[in-house]
Amino acid sequence: MKFPDLVERQILKANTEGKLTGLAGEGKPIPDRPSEDATAVGMRIMAEAGVWAREFELKKLVDEQLAVPRKTNDPEQRKQEMSKLADLQFRLSTEQEARRQFYNTQ
């Protein structure tokens, strides 16, 4: 499935769940933004509706987890927190690589 089709599916799902109602500019045409391609427009619309791609969710979790080991004094607890961080970073890199490969196959 191509990325624009995936974005369209996510938009339709969000619309069905009622997440696209009451947004700023609802009922008005999308303004011309010549520098944005269809993918960027779709991602922006999804973000404004609070629907995030998994990659963005993982990035946020990684950023939050980065601070946890620094605040931990117990070496064993720090080791566990670093393990969580490594897992999140691995999952994020997997998502990013999947996106890169997807774009290269279009």
Side-chain angles (χ1 to χ4, degrees):
M1 178 178 288
K2 293 184 178 182
F3 188 73
D5 296 333
L6 186 62
V7 170
E8 183 67 24
R9 267 179 95 172
Q10 289 295 322
I11 290 171
L12 291 173
K13 179 182 174 193
N15 190 34
T16 302
E17 294 171 353
K19 294 181 178 179
L20 298 179
T21 57
L23 299 175
E26 183 176 357
K28 298 178 185 174
I30 296 176
D32 283 338
R33 295 186 181 174
S35 63
E36 286 186 314
D37 63 5
T39 302
V41 170
M43 295 298 273
R44 183 176 45 77
I45 290 170
M46 287 172 44
E48 288 173 358
V51 180
W52 296 96
R54 183 71 182 141
E55 184 178 339
F56 298 132
E57 293 174 18
L58 286 169
K59 174 69 173 130
K60 182 179 176 185
L61 291 172
V62 165
D63 290 343
E64 291 171 357
Q65 185 64 27
L66 278 169
V68 175
R70 294 182 197 139
K71 297 176 183 176
T72 306
N73 293 327
D74 179 34
E76 190 58 36
Q77 182 68 24
R78 181 176 290 128
K79 184 177 177 180
Q80 291 174 357
E81 296 300 336
M82 291 297 289
S83 177
K84 288 180 192 176
L85 176 60
D87 178 60
L88 288 170
Q89 288 173 327
F90 174 75
R91 291 168 48 199
L92 175 60
S93 67
T94 302
E95 289 284 334
Q96 290 170 332
E97 182 60 27
R99 178 181 41 81
R100 280 188 214 103
Q101 287 182 3
F102 181 81
Y103 281 129
N104 289 334
T105 61
Q106 288 189 19

